[in-house]
Amino acid sequence: MPYLSLKIAWLAGSHVGIPDGSPLLEHRTAVAVANGVTVLMDACVIVLALVLTRPWGLRLPAWLLTVPMWVATGLLTPIMTGFPVQLLVTAFGGAVRTTDDGGRTFLDSWVFVVVYGGFLVQGLALGTLFALYARDRWGRLWRGRLWDLPRAVLGTAAQKTVAVAAAVLAVPPLAAHLLWACGATTGLNADRIADRTSDFHIVEAQSAVFLAVAVAAGLMLAFRRGRALPVRVPLALAWTGSAAAACWAGWQAVASLVVTESAAERPTALMNLTYACGMIVGFLVAGLAARLLVARAAGRRTA
């Protein structure tokens, strides 16, 4: 509610939390569109909370719930993991960029606490609700261990091909994120180079981690690695890793499509390649996990 109230106030013309001279006041149309989109996205969270807690939510088609929950996982998880680390790094002297090149402040400092603190609580609450809902509705589909699953469900040639393709496609974005996290500027535009503070390095490092988790989970599912593990472990890793890799890369790609005022702000070829490959890797790994669940559900109905 604080987040929605703040966004609606901005859409209504209020400048609460926006200091005089902020660069945001110079791009009113673009900011209004962005605020409208994010208001709709956060309103969807309210709908999801109702679906996960009301009896009629159990009657919805699986895809109608899992797709938006997967997207929500992908957008909220990087914030939930990155924001506390950013606070810790800032407490020890790290820098977070809140001004433009001219020294003008984008937003008052309390806005970041309200927005990202709200996302943190929202992610924890929504994730807990979904975990309880999924256990009650689909918990039977991830019982047992990897070695208990028949070849028709896990380890087919097609699944192995998809997992290998995801691993190969993950190499360029993984290398790029690691380079940028370690301080390299290769392939970055001028605006992003100037924007490299502690939070930038944290975001790039965790992007590399989520990609690696997604690829590892995909290989575990396709090649039955860690066969003694419960099925829910690689499934949970595939869900979280693929969602974070695909949705966060997608969010960055969409942001890069916005018309910019200078060449310094336009994404480079390497940045576009990184976003595109990250999205594809996430979709491929999510497809592997979905294939497993669908196959197990079909097998149980047949039995």
Side-chain angles (χ1 to χ4, degrees), residues 26-236:
E26 299 175 358
H27 309 281
R28 296 181 183 273
T29 301
V31 171
V33 171
N35 285 333
V37 171
T38 50
V39 163
L40 291 176
M41 291 173 65
D42 216 51
C44 289
V45 173
I46 298 175
V47 177
L48 285 174
L50 292 174
V51 170
L52 296 173
T53 53
R54 304 306 301 162
W56 52 265
L58 293 170
R59 298 191 296 271
L60 287 181
W63 67 268
L64 195 57
L65 171 62
T66 54
V67 171
M69 270 304 309
W70 183 76
V71 174
T73 300
L75 294 177
L76 289 173
T77 300
I79 295 175
M80 294 170 61
T81 56
F83 183 57
V85 177
Q86 289 174 353
L87 291 178
L88 184 63
V89 171
T90 303
F92 283 93
V96 176
R97 189 184 188 193
T98 58
T99 61
D100 66 359
D101 295 334
R104 296 178 299 174
T105 303
F106 292 105
L107 294 167
D108 292 334
S109 58
W110 64 265
V111 174
F112 294 96
V113 177
V114 169
V115 171
Y116 290 106
F119 282 153
L120 183 62
V121 176
Q122 184 181 95
L124 290 172
L126 197 63
T128 302
L129 287 176
F130 181 66
L132 296 173
Y133 178 101
R135 181 198 62 187
D136 294 339
R137 183 171 177 178
W138 302 301
R140 65 191 184 282
L141 298 182
W142 50 74
R143 290 175 183 166
R145 301 182 182 277
L146 286 178
W147 63 28
D148 298 327
L149 301 183
R151 290 285 180 181
V153 172
L154 198 62
T156 65
Q159 290 171 323
K160 292 178 180 179
T161 301
V162 170
V164 171
V168 172
L169 286 171
V171 173
L174 187 58
H177 287 308
L178 287 175
L179 284 173
W180 297 336
C182 293
T185 60
T186 305
L188 290 174
N189 59 26
D191 185 69
R192 193 61 60 86
I193 292 174
D195 195 28
R196 292 179 308 138
T197 51
S198 300
D199 53 339
F200 170 84
H201 297 292
I202 292 170
V203 168
E204 294 302 324
Q206 71 174 11
S207 294
V209 170
F210 286 127
L211 265 173
V213 169
V215 170
L219 293 173
M220 289 170 65
L221 290 174
F223 289 90
R224 302 162 67 93
R225 299 303 180 189
R227 298 175 63 189
L229 286 174
V231 175
R232 63 178 178 271
V233 172
L235 273 178

Side-chain angles (χ1 to χ4, degrees), residues 239-256:
W239 172 278
T240 306
S242 68
C247 298
W248 197 253
W251 181 260
Q252 292 175 307
V254 169
S256 70

